[in-house]
Amino acid sequence: MSDERKNAGGGELLRVEDVDVAIEGREILSDVNFRIDQGEFTGLIGANGSGKTTLFRVILGLQTVARGRVTIRGEALQRLNRSIGYVPQKVLFDPDMPIRSRDLVALGIDGNRLGFKRRTRADHQAVEEMLHAVDAQDFADRKVGGLSGGEQQRVLIAHALVSRPELLLLDEPLSNLDPGSVQEIIGLLHQVARQQRVAIFLSAHEMNPLLSVMDRVVYIANARVASGTTDEVVRPDVLSALYGHHVDVLRVHGRVMVVVGEESGQSFTAANHPELVVE
């Protein structure tokens, strides 16, 4: 880890303590504990159905917990806290929808309010600043539905950032993007975290694209999490305890592979666990 990344975080921003969540009698999260500091880039790594979106809903105040608590800067979490921005996993735009990129970004300022609000010069300036921050000024006046997947992600990120949150949650923003767009979005978010002093919490199946930018990883499996730096978490002993059986961790040409052997007697497939390499 570079000195820049070591010094990226400030004081504690988010703390999740002893959180349990059950939905329709099924345990989704169990005894979840971790923290995120100001300005940190944190990856939330886990398979489909592992509880990543549920955890985001807990942080947003949209999911009731059976036990535990979430605090922002030491204060109890309030539902839909303006300190937290959110980019959902799937947003489908009709190609014929007339809304432009800059219009969608502007809705991040006042879209949650009822009635008409006349936008001020400061509002328009904030929109322009965010469009430039995500390098979206060249398609600011194009219809959002006509943009590529990577361009839409940039606009959605600007929409979430224009209200100046301290923490930005992104639910699988890299899915369905080509490799070039994946690297562009990761680079953009890393830049935003540093320039805007926003903590990034990004969920993904695959950690390798994030290795160069992550300050912290929250690895989720079997309803539980392990958190810390990549070197602290992505280790055979830690992940074996998390999965409940032996796993190996291999590092090859700058990539990390988590290998599960067949002798465990459990069913692990690449489709269900894309974060794993299965022997």
Side-chain angles (χ1 to χ4, degrees):
M1 182 181 296
S2 68
D3 290 339
E4 178 189 0
R5 287 175 62 198
K6 286 180 183 178
N7 297 326
E12 180 177 295
L13 176 61
L14 173 77
R15 180 173 288 272
V16 176
E17 294 183 282
D18 306 324
V19 164
D20 293 346
V21 174
I23 299 177
E24 296 181 350
R26 175 173 169 253
E27 182 183 65
I28 306 298
L29 299 173
S30 175
D31 197 28
V32 171
N33 289 272
F34 65 91
R35 60 178 281 181
I36 294 176
D37 289 347
Q38 296 171 5
E40 277 191 333
F41 195 120
T42 302
L44 174 60
I45 307 300
N48 281 333
S50 60
K52 299 191 301 294
T53 298
T54 299
L55 180 55
F56 277 174
R57 287 177 55 81
V58 168
I59 295 170
L60 291 166
L62 301 175
Q63 174 64 53
T64 302
V65 301
R67 182 178 72 98
R69 67 172 188 159
V70 179
T71 56
I72 300 290
R73 298 184 308 280
E75 300 291 332
L77 178 72
Q78 300 295 320
R79 189 174 185 271
L80 298 177
N81 192 308
R82 294 286 287 178
S83 296
I84 304 174
Y86 177 57
V87 178
Q89 181 175 3
K90 294 180 180 178
V91 179
L92 299 178
F93 295 103
D94 188 325
D96 297 322
M97 186 174 65
I99 189 170
R100 302 173 301 168
S101 298
R102 69 171 68 254
D103 299 327
L104 181 60
V105 175
L107 286 174
I109 297 175
D110 53 26
N112 63 328
R113 301 173 186 171
L114 296 176
F116 178 79
K117 175 183 179 292
R118 187 177 184 86
R119 295 195 178 109
T120 66
R121 179 179 296 181
D123 291 338
H124 289 292
Q125 182 177 349
V127 170
E128 293 302 317
E129 287 178 357
M130 281 303 120
L131 287 167
H132 278 78
V134 301
D135 199 20
Q137 63 271 22
D138 290 344
F139 44 89
D141 292 307
R142 287 170 52 191
K143 294 179 182 178
V144 178
L147 302 179
S148 69
E151 289 170 339
Q152 287 181 351
Q153 281 292 356
R154 289 174 181 268
V155 175
L156 288 169
I157 292 167
H159 166 87
L161 287 173
V162 74
S163 61
R164 302 291 182 179
E166 296 179 79
L167 172 65
L168 179 60
L169 309 181
L170 299 106
D171 197 352
E172 299 282 359
L174 308 179
S175 62
N176 302 318
L177 296 181
D178 61 82
S181 294
V182 166
Q183 291 305 315
E184 287 179 3
I185 294 300
I186 291 172
L188 165 68
L189 290 169
H190 184 238
Q191 176 179 303
V192 165
R194 298 301 176 257
Q195 293 182 349
Q196 306 288 332
R197 298 294 299 164
V198 176
I200 302 293
F201 194 20
L202 181 154
S203 71
H205 295 130
E206 169 64 55
M207 80 177 81
N208 282 300
L210 303 173
L211 287 177
S212 65
V213 300
M214 282 194 303
D215 300 301
R216 191 186 304 265
V217 60
V218 176
Y219 201 111
I220 184 168
N222 287 343
R224 298 176 296 122
V225 307
S227 69
T229 66
T230 304
D231 288 341
E232 290 169 343
V233 171
V234 187
R235 296 168 23 185
D237 58 334
V238 174
L239 294 185
S240 294
L242 197 62
Y243 278 102
H245 56 82
H246 180 74
V247 300
D248 291 307
V249 176
L250 307 178
R251 286 174 167 82
V252 182
H253 302 304
R255 292 176 60 82
V256 174
M257 292 182 287
V258 179
V259 184
V260 179
E262 294 179 352
E263 71 277 5
S264 67
Q266 298 194 33
S267 176
F268 285 85
T269 67
N272 292 330
H273 288 269
E275 82 278 18
L276 304 178
V277 175
V278 184
E279 288 187 323

